[in-house]
Amino acid sequence: MAIFNLTVNGNSKQVDVDPNTPMLWVLRDHLDLVGTKFGCGIAQCGACTIHMDGAAVRSCQLPVSAAEGVKITTIEGISEKGDHPVQKAWVEHDVPQCGYCQAGQIMSAVALLKDNPSPSDEDIDNAMNGNICRCGTYTRIKAAIKTASQNV
Amino acid sequence: MQNQFSNLSRRSFLKSSALAGGGLLLSFSWLAGCKPNTEELLTLPEEWFRMNGYIRIGDNGVITIMSPNPEGGQNIKTSMPMIVAEELDADWSKVIVEQAPLDTENFTRQFIGGSQAIRVGWTPLRTAGATARLLLMQAAAKSWNVPVSEIKTENGFLNHQSSNKKAHYGELASLAATLPIPEEVTLKNPSDFKLIGTSKKNVDVPKIITGKPLFGIDYKKEGMKIAMIIQPPAFGMKLKSFDASQAKRMPGIVDIFQVKSLQDDYKRTFFDTVQFTDLIAVVGNSTWEVMNAKKAVELEYELMESYEEKRDMFGREGSRFVPGGLESDDSQEQKMQEASKNARVQRKDGDPETAFARASQIIERTYTAPFLVHNCMEPMNFFAHVNGDKVHCAGPLQKPELTEQALSNRLGIPVENIEIEMTRLGGGYGRRSYAHWLIEAAVISQKVNAPIKLIYTREDDMTAGIYRSRYQITYRAALDENNDLIGFHINGGGLPENPLHPNRFPAGAVENYLVEGWEVPSNVTTGSFRAPRSNFNASAEQSFLDEVAEAAGKDPLEFRIELLKKAKAKPIGENNDYDPDRYIGVLELVKNKSDWGKQENGISRGVSAYFCHNSYAAQVMDLKVENGQVAIQKVITAVDCGIVVNPDAAKNLCEGAVIDGIGTAMFGEQTFEKGVPKNKNFDTYRMIRMKEAPKKIETYFVENNVDPTGLGEPAYPPVFAALANSLYQATGKRIYNQPFSKQISF
């Protein structure tokens, strides 16, 4: 066990955990931020996507020891009132079905639009390739990303 | 259509609602702790007045409607309250929706399955809304001293025109609560619907997009420990011994012990399917610590003997033979071939033998499909706290009413001492009907005497069984010299489940018809999977009919309509389980919307249609194959599910069915080597991703005033064959075996 000082959603947090603990479980079990979801544990499904200094990463593969000194952002931290253009687009297109993967989808979409504000269909396909939606809301996700791209 | 009187046994329905008391409903709901945005926008009422089991009306006019059924993505949490609000004439913008806990006293059929929630809830929900409205009208009439027949309601307000009196519902709610429940209520004429048929946003979306705790896996309680299980590595094996001495010393570990989920002599009911009942439980302070300790437990397994599993299927007692042995893909296939030679007749019309003897053309094809894993994105999990003779559980499950019985039996605690909170399901698709994990969680909590949350890893989930069965169907069609279909022969079965629906189309449309079925026992556990059995039947049958149409020199869409017209004009045999008119209706609609017969250059197109869960669906799929790669351009779906409550949400569900169907047809597969499930996670179990989804999906509904029928499943089964048939048009190759990706690159 060791003490780690983290910056999560702009707040300083301290946790005392095994250095190999993935950020996914630090967020969920120790910091009560359960918006980041467990899906596969091997970086195949994207449900656990968070931002490390603005870039999308799979938190199930990010040990807490590598998360010090960087800015971690989770779904709870991308906007104050759930009104990030991507979140608003998700509402407009009524995207979710079961909703479980959607936090990860949104985190990937926000990172994409930050780097590439006007993505092509192919850009969207590539950026979202790591996120599985079992209910099959892909066409709505893509439409929502296009709507959001006009408002970021 | 006439106004209708409810023919429901409303007295008992409303009486039982009135017994439990509103406070109880509130106290059950942990989700109420994280208030929806609507609650933040509206001032919460000072006092709640309970009208009946589904509705509370606050003194400020805010209406809370309890959504009784679990929500797993079907959008029931929005559409069920919409039905209540319609009859209540409520202002939807002032309606707050809460998830009801499991409450068998107050609610009927609180489960997900068979696409039946809206169909079954339709009349009770409308009656509840209409009763609340009438009570309010009676209260207004009493208060204003005017005849009730002169009171009008609109958008949450009562008014009496001639005396110029107006009040919002909240103002009369207390008085209404003192009135006796009316004997009879009049339900609206569907043509007067204002809310039903308009698109309303999913009420949980604001929470979903901000990461609020909604799902079972997010559940947390003071003092709660994390638990995981270790199950045998192979079907046909069982735990012999274990050594956890080293694992127990690892950081954060509370205890490691053996548990038994269901007792060997327990008579299992329909959804008590589970192979691995002897498990190791690892309990600790955090998920990561438990995951690590799990790997350090030393385990020894032995072969399991064959046995008879005792069953009590809704009162019918029996048993199921569970063979010992370690099954592999090849050994299973061999047994299926053997069994298909000893099939039993499930339906026979006319003289199939003679028809085939005089046929001028016979087409015979065999279709196969592998085991499938549900792969809900939220892994199986449940919270349980067994505290003496009181049980509190919370989590995602599809059939809480049925699981509650099994849990009560296992713990020896009466049902009335068991409280089950229903959380949002991160997917169900049938998997969460089999809630062995709830029982495991409770047994573990009982042992450690603490609240625990059981979590499956993805690997635990994918290798635990309850798969979609492995299937095979051989079809034979006899065409005469005029290319008329004169004989049809189906030989189908599965390991372990027989997929056939012997009375479905094209039964009734062919003079000489033979259906033969078979089953092969297996120790691999299987269960319901989105549109059970239909998901394979449709795939095989609709692919085959395409080929028969081609052999007969007919347009595949017109060929289906021709057969359905025959079935309508002169139905063959008895118990034909479909309505030819509604079937033709979806084919005509998809034909019209797709401009069938006028496809673009370079686009290949296929059609498919199916009836299941009381609804009809047809699809036309357009695709291109470029450099051997499939690219799906467009899928058009036509559905007849009666009245559509929430059209945009209904479309979302159908779009999902299309994408799910394409993904499953292309990639879905679980295979075995000596009893070991080979695919354990998404690195080898391929799931459809965004780039493989159709570029465009359009969904159209047949407009009618038929009471709603199912929608969660019906649009799914026809997708497989729409894909196979359009791929044939593109490549000239018929696909007979799933997953299709073994034959074509995607």
Side-chain angles (χ1 to χ4, degrees):
Chain A
M1 304 290 264
I3 304 276
F4 295 93
N5 292 298
L6 306 169
T7 307
V8 180
N9 299 333
N11 304 314
S12 298
K13 300 278 179 188
Q14 200 173 66
V15 290
D16 182 8
V17 294
D18 167 22
N20 293 321
T21 309
M23 273 308 291
L24 167 66
W25 298 114
V26 170
L27 293 167
R28 292 187 58 84
D29 284 357
H30 302 277
L31 299 176
D32 273 346
L33 292 168
V34 294
T36 305
K37 296 293 190 260
F38 169 50
C40 68
I42 58 166
Q44 290 292 314
C45 78
C48 69
T49 305
I50 60 169
H51 295 169
M52 189 163 84
D53 287 337
V57 294
R58 312 296 176 215
S59 65
C60 71
Q61 298 301 306
L62 177 68
V64 63
S65 54
E68 277 192 317
V70 296
K71 282 184 196 157
I72 298 292
T73 310
T74 69
I75 185 72
E76 292 91 343
I78 56 165
S79 68
E80 288 267 318
K81 293 178 178 169
D83 56 359
H84 185 284
V86 170
Q87 289 169 311
K88 281 160 83 173
W90 246 248
V91 173
E92 187 184 326
H93 291 269
D94 211 21
V95 172
Q97 284 186 39
C98 88
Y100 192 77
C101 73
Q102 299 295 347
Q105 304 276 4
I106 290 170
M107 295 309 282
S108 291
V110 169
L112 162 69
L113 293 177
K114 190 167 157 280
D115 291 344
N116 180 359
S118 309
S120 65
D121 277 24
E122 204 182 343
D123 294 337
I124 298 174
D125 283 348
N126 289 335
M128 303 305 288
N129 195 47
N131 290 78
I132 295 172
C133 171
R134 172 68 180 84
C135 299
T137 63
Y138 294 126
T139 45
R140 284 183 186 236
I141 292 173
K142 192 182 267 185
I145 292 173
K146 287 181 182 173
T147 297
S149 77
Q150 285 155 22
N151 302 313
V152 282
Chain B
M1 202 181 197
Q2 296 282 308
N3 278 8
Q4 50 184 304
F5 287 91
S6 164
N7 57 1
L8 202 76
S9 167
R10 277 185 324 99
R11 274 256 161 231
S12 59
F13 170 73
L14 292 170
K15 190 178 157 205
S16 60
S17 328
L19 286 171
L24 188 65
L25 292 171
L26 262 182
S27 69
F28 270 62
S29 177
W30 75 272
L31 286 172
C34 33
K35 289 170 184 158
N37 277 7
T38 41
E39 273 189 41
E40 284 151 24
L41 297 173
L42 302 163
T43 322
L44 275 173
E46 293 164 16
E47 197 184 350
W48 295 97
F49 304 97
R50 188 166 165 278
M51 297 292 300
N52 60 41
Y54 294 96
I55 307 163
R56 283 196 310 266
I57 298 179
D59 55 6
N60 61 354
V62 174
I63 297 172
T64 300
I65 298 176
M66 307 292 277
S67 179
N69 278 45
E71 172 65 82
Q74 347 79 302
N75 211 20
I76 221 78
K77 195 170 168 183
T78 308
S79 29
M80 280 192 142
M82 279 176 74
I83 298 170
V84 178
E86 174 70 66
E87 290 288 349
L88 181 57
D89 270 344
D91 175 357
W92 183 250
S93 67
K94 286 194 174 177
V95 168
I96 293 168
V97 177
E98 279 181 15
Q99 179 71 59
L102 175 63
D103 181 351
T104 40
E105 290 274 309
N106 280 289
F107 304 121
T108 56
R109 206 178 183 285
Q110 270 184 285
F111 61 79
I112 302 179
S115 300
Q116 299 298 292
I118 294 290
R119 179 170 176 253
V120 174
W122 180 244
T123 304
L125 291 166
R126 291 178 69 192
T127 309
T131 304
R133 175 174 167 269
L134 183 56
L135 282 168
L136 289 162
M137 287 165 67
Q138 287 172 342
K142 200 171 170 184
S143 171
W144 299 337
N145 203 18
V146 297
V148 69
S149 57
E150 291 176 12
I151 308 270
K152 297 260 184 292
T153 57
E154 197 181 358
N155 229 13
F157 281 89
L158 295 140
N159 60 68
H160 183 251
Q161 211 171 3
S162 57
S163 66
N164 206 20
K165 288 217 160 58
K166 190 174 180 181
H168 67 66
Y169 283 0
E171 294 173 65
L172 287 151
S174 326
L175 180 58
T178 65
L179 300 177
I181 288 164
E183 287 288 337
E184 249 176 8
V185 290
T186 309
L187 303 181
K188 281 186 186 178
N189 186 320
S191 61
D192 294 330
F193 286 161
K194 289 179 192 145
L195 187 60
I196 288 173
T198 64
S199 295
K200 295 293 168 201
K201 303 280 187 203
N202 176 335
V203 294
D204 274 343
V205 165
K207 288 181 191 167
I208 290 168
I209 59 162
T210 51
K212 297 286 187 301
L214 266 180
F215 299 93
I217 205 164
D218 303 336
Y219 195 87
K220 200 159 192 177
K221 200 181 174 189
E222 190 68 30
M224 182 183 87
K225 302 292 177 192
I226 299 294
M228 286 196 168
I229 50 104
I230 307 174
Q231 59 201 353
F235 288 87
M237 297 198 94
K238 62 176 185 179
L239 185 66
K240 186 180 179 192
S241 64
F242 73 105
D243 178 0
S245 49
Q246 195 202 333
K248 271 191 198 178
R249 288 195 297 271
M250 291 172 71
I253 297 307
V254 174
D255 202 357
I256 299 175
F257 48 89
Q258 189 175 339
V259 289
K260 192 155 192 74
S261 55
L262 294 177
Q263 303 290 8
D264 294 338
D265 60 353
Y266 168 62
K267 286 179 194 150
R268 298 177 178 209
T269 63
F270 197 82
F271 291 103
D272 294 328
T273 303
V274 60
Q275 180 59 60
F276 306 128
T277 52
D278 289 296
L279 306 161
I280 300 298
V282 182
V283 183
N285 296 329
S286 73
T287 315
W288 182 244
E289 287 167 320
V290 172
M291 279 179 168
N292 281 329
K294 231 182 120 171
K295 293 180 202 145
V297 179
E298 289 175 32
L299 299 146
E300 206 184 337
Y301 293 98
E302 61 186 346
L303 287 174
M304 175 198 89
E305 301 287 325
S306 303
Y307 65 95
E308 291 284 337
E309 185 180 272
K310 289 179 183 154
R311 286 272 176 175
D312 177 352
M313 307 299 250
F314 301 118
R316 237 177 339 114
E317 293 204 3
S319 66
R320 182 177 82 96
F321 173 67
V322 182
L326 302 174
E327 299 176 18
S328 296
D329 303 342
D330 292 350
S331 69
Q332 288 171 342
E333 188 174 339
Q334 215 167 13
K335 284 184 204 161
M336 289 172 79
Q337 298 313 336
E338 277 304 308
S340 68
K341 292 172 194 155
N342 296 299
R344 64 178 193 285
V345 174
Q346 292 185 258
R347 175 172 172 140
K348 190 176 179 182
D349 300 324
D351 183 355
E353 207 170 311
T354 305
F356 278 93
R358 73 175 180 89
S360 57
Q361 205 184 155
I362 293 173
I363 304 128
E364 177 175 335
R365 299 289 182 259
T366 297
Y367 298 82
T368 67
F371 290 100
L372 295 174
V373 186
H374 300 81
N375 288 332
C376 304
M377 288 310 294
E378 179 190 16
M380 298 305 117
N381 68 85
F382 230 85
F383 167 84
H385 187 196
V386 180
N387 190 3
D389 67 346
K390 292 265 194 294
V391 184
H392 173 210
C393 298
L397 77 167
Q398 287 181 235
K399 310 273 190 301
E401 279 184 63
L402 300 166
T403 305
E404 191 180 51
Q405 300 292 332
L407 182 63
S408 165
N409 183 292
R410 174 62 183 86
L411 297 175
I413 293 174
V415 165
E416 50 271 28
N417 286 9
I418 298 174
E419 177 190 333
I420 300 180
E421 278 180 51
M422 299 191 292
T423 60
R424 191 178 181 85
L425 285 73
Y429 325 104
R431 179 63 181 92
R432 289 191 215 272
S433 298
Y434 305 89
H436 52 89
W437 17 266
L438 190 166
I439 298 180
E440 292 156 14
V443 172
I444 294 168
S445 168
Q446 195 173 37
K447 175 84 197 299
V448 295
N449 196 22
I452 64 108
K453 180 168 67 184
L454 172 69
I455 301 175
Y456 275 37
T457 62
R458 178 57 58 190
E459 290 80 3
D460 294 336
D461 197 317
M462 218 180 268
T463 59
I466 331 279
Y467 305 122
R468 200 282 306 268
S469 287
R470 189 173 169 180
Y471 296 134
Q472 176 184 305
I473 302 180
T474 299
Y475 292 93
R476 287 200 307 147
L479 294 171
D480 69 6
E481 63 283 2
N482 301 318
N483 282 328
D484 280 331
L485 182 60
I486 55 166
F488 207 79
H489 176 198
I490 304 172
N491 174 302
L495 185 138
E497 181 192 50
N498 171 342
L500 301 178
H501 288 284
N503 298 323
R504 288 205 184 149
F505 182 75
V510 189
E511 195 80 35
N512 306 292
Y513 202 84
L514 177 63
V515 183
E516 297 174 306
W518 46 270
E519 297 91 18
V520 178
S522 169
N523 57 34
V524 176
T525 52
T526 58
S528 302
F529 188 101
R530 191 177 198 174
R533 302 188 286 154
S534 301
N535 54 41
F536 178 61
N537 265 315
S539 169
E541 167 205 301
Q542 291 291 310
S543 298
F544 184 65
L545 286 181
D546 217 66
E547 205 164 342
V548 175
E550 190 183 31
K554 292 174 182 171
D555 174 90
L557 200 155
E558 298 299 344
F559 178 65
R560 287 165 171 87
I561 292 178
E562 178 192 311
L563 287 174
L564 286 158
K565 282 184 175 163
K566 272 190 196 170
K568 193 199 169 187
K570 188 184 164 226
I572 310 292
E574 287 170 4
N575 304 320
N576 295 328
D577 180 22
Y578 60 95
D579 176 343
D581 277 335
R582 292 180 74 187
Y583 220 135
I584 292 168
V586 290
L587 281 162
E588 291 286 358
L589 183 60
V590 85
K591 180 181 160 186
N592 176 273
K593 295 294 181 186
S594 67
D595 273 329
W596 181 259
K598 288 186 223 155
Q599 78 226 54
E600 291 167 48
N601 270 348
I603 298 287
S604 302
R605 144 176 286 202
V607 66
S608 175
Y610 203 67
F611 160 74
C612 70
H613 301 91
N614 315 95
S615 293
Y616 300 78
Q619 268 131 3
V620 166
M621 190 177 296
D622 287 352
L623 56 77
K624 283 197 268 196
V625 178
E626 285 173 334
N627 308 320
Q629 282 285 122
V630 182
I632 299 173
Q633 306 300 308
K634 187 156 102 176
V635 180
I636 298 175
T637 302
V639 179
D640 179 353
C641 61
I643 294 168
V644 178
V645 177
N646 193 0
D648 189 52
K651 283 183 182 174
N652 197 348
L653 211 48
C654 294
E655 292 163 15
V658 166
I659 293 172
D660 186 5
I662 293 168
T664 306
M666 275 289 181
F667 312 122
E669 181 180 40
Q670 180 62 294
T671 57
F672 293 88
E673 184 158 359
K674 293 199 169 84
V676 178
K678 282 195 262 183
N679 294 317
K680 296 179 168 64
N681 206 324
F682 297 131
D683 51 346
T684 55
Y685 197 111
R686 189 168 165 191
M687 306 287 283
I688 190 167
R689 291 175 190 266
M690 184 183 280
K691 64 179 162 55
E692 294 131 1
K695 290 189 171 53
K696 203 171 175 191
I697 303 178
E698 293 173 9
T699 308
Y700 301 94
F701 297 99
V702 172
E703 286 178 27
N704 57 30
N705 272 348
V706 176
D707 283 357
T709 49
L711 189 61
E713 287 156 304
Y716 178 65
V719 182
F720 297 66
L723 176 59
N725 296 340
S726 52
L727 283 172
Y728 169 69
Q729 294 300 328
T731 65
K733 282 184 196 150
R734 294 280 178 188
I735 299 180
Y736 302 106
N737 306 304
Q738 293 174 30
F740 297 175
S741 60
K742 288 195 169 159
Q743 289 155 83
I744 190 153
S745 176
F746 196 71

